[in-house]
Amino acid sequence: AQSVTQLGSHVSVSEGALVLLRCNYSSSVPPYLFWYVQYPNQGLQLLLKYTSAATLVKGINGFEAEFKKSETSFHLTKPSAHMSDAAEYFCAVSEKAAGNKLTFGGGTRVLVKP
Amino acid sequence: DADVTQTPRNRITKTGKRIMLECSQTKGHDRMYWYRQDPGLGLRLIYYSFDVKDINKGEISDGYSVSRQAQAKFSLSLESAIPNQTALYFCATSEAPGGPASLGELFFGEGSRLTVL
């Protein structure tokens, strides 16, 4: 069975500082991995996805994530935080064997300080 | 207009009442899902449907039922609402396998916030 763990339910960063959100997954087969962002009072939207084409994946708004099979990780980073990055971020995994249904982590809420 | 539309966006009800949340989509996707979001728990799958004649339970289906009225419509019902069903509910869609975006990527509605008193 697939599962996702996000380390840290809340992260506080200063504007201009590095954003690092951690995600570890459990999957019996090579997974597809996703990061979604949820802005206040909105639904989730896709930031980026890993589908086995390249281990370093670039997404929208300057975010990127690196798939590390040996560490079963898919951490999300952004070199320089902006106030508009304040949101909740969800890591998710899907497996072909599970009908490509997504399993989500618990989410990490990012606060950006001026 | 949004590709995935949920109604109502907000609802307050009382214990024991029947509630229906509706979802419609214009993306032409075969697959539709209902998720529940609770703080710290992420999103948990309630029910999903891979086509009009296919309904499947997710990880937390107890106390809920669904109806897939058409390819574009998927409704979630709480037959007798209870306070621990207070949550933010999301409808989502995805392509069937074989499509260009068929690796599980979901497209979400804006959510329906339900409060059960």
Side-chain angles (χ1 to χ4, degrees):
Chain A
Q2 56 195 35
S3 65
V4 178
T5 301
Q6 291 183 239
L7 185 61
S9 60
H10 292 79
V11 168
S12 180
V13 299
S14 297
E15 192 174 19
L18 171 71
V19 179
L20 170 60
L21 305 183
R22 299 179 187 275
C23 172
N24 288 89
Y25 69 91
S26 172
S27 174
S28 58
V29 297
Y32 304 126
L33 295 158
F34 305 80
W35 275 99
Y36 282 83
V37 60
Q38 183 183 26
Y39 297 106
N41 300 313
Q42 295 186 24
L44 282 72
Q45 60 184 103
L46 184 69
L47 263 183
L48 49 80
K49 61 184 177 183
Y50 166 76
T51 59
S52 77
T55 57
L56 183 62
V57 182
K58 294 187 184 299
I60 61 172
N61 301 336
F63 283 93
E64 64 181 35
E66 185 172 10
F67 172 67
K68 292 187 176 180
K69 183 179 178 180
S70 61
E71 298 177 6
T72 60
S73 69
F74 191 56
H75 302 330
L76 180 71
T77 60
K78 181 174 179 177
S80 177
H82 190 273
M83 296 300 291
S84 61
D85 295 326
E88 189 158 18
Y89 294 79
F90 294 92
C91 183
V93 62
S94 76
E95 290 180 8
K96 187 175 182 180
N100 287 346
K101 298 191 305 297
L102 262 65
T103 298
F104 287 86
T108 299
R109 187 170 297 278
V110 173
L111 172 66
V112 182
K113 298 176 293 184
Chain B
D1 288 341
D3 293 325
V4 184
T5 303
Q6 294 183 229
T7 56
R9 294 291 312 280
N10 287 283
R11 181 71 183 269
I12 300 173
T13 191
K14 295 182 179 180
T15 297
K17 294 291 188 181
R18 183 177 187 274
I19 294 297
M20 179 180 287
L21 306 180
E22 298 184 328
C23 177
S24 62
Q25 53 117 345
T26 58
K27 297 194 70 69
H29 289 165
D30 287 324
R31 298 184 167 194
M32 298 186 74
Y33 309 77
W34 276 104
Y35 282 89
R36 166 178 173 159
Q37 182 182 14
D38 297 280
L41 297 179
L43 277 75
R44 293 179 291 166
L45 184 61
I46 306 172
Y47 270 96
Y48 61 100
S49 168
F50 283 176
D51 63 42
V52 174
K53 296 182 180 179
D54 176 78
I55 300 290
N56 303 281
K57 293 182 177 181
E59 58 183 306
I60 55 164
S61 59
D62 287 349
Y64 301 94
S65 62
V66 291
S67 174
R68 184 81 183 266
Q69 299 95 329
Q71 187 208 33
K73 296 183 182 296
F74 191 38
S75 60
L76 175 72
S77 294
L78 288 68
E79 297 300 325
S80 180
I82 56 177
N84 76 1
Q85 291 177 313
T86 293
L88 184 57
Y89 291 86
F90 284 102
C91 175
T93 72
S94 71
E95 287 196 26
S102 62
L103 302 177
E105 179 181 347
L106 295 174
F107 297 84
F108 285 86
E110 294 192 331
S112 296
R113 185 169 297 280
L114 176 65
T115 302
V116 183
L117 302 176

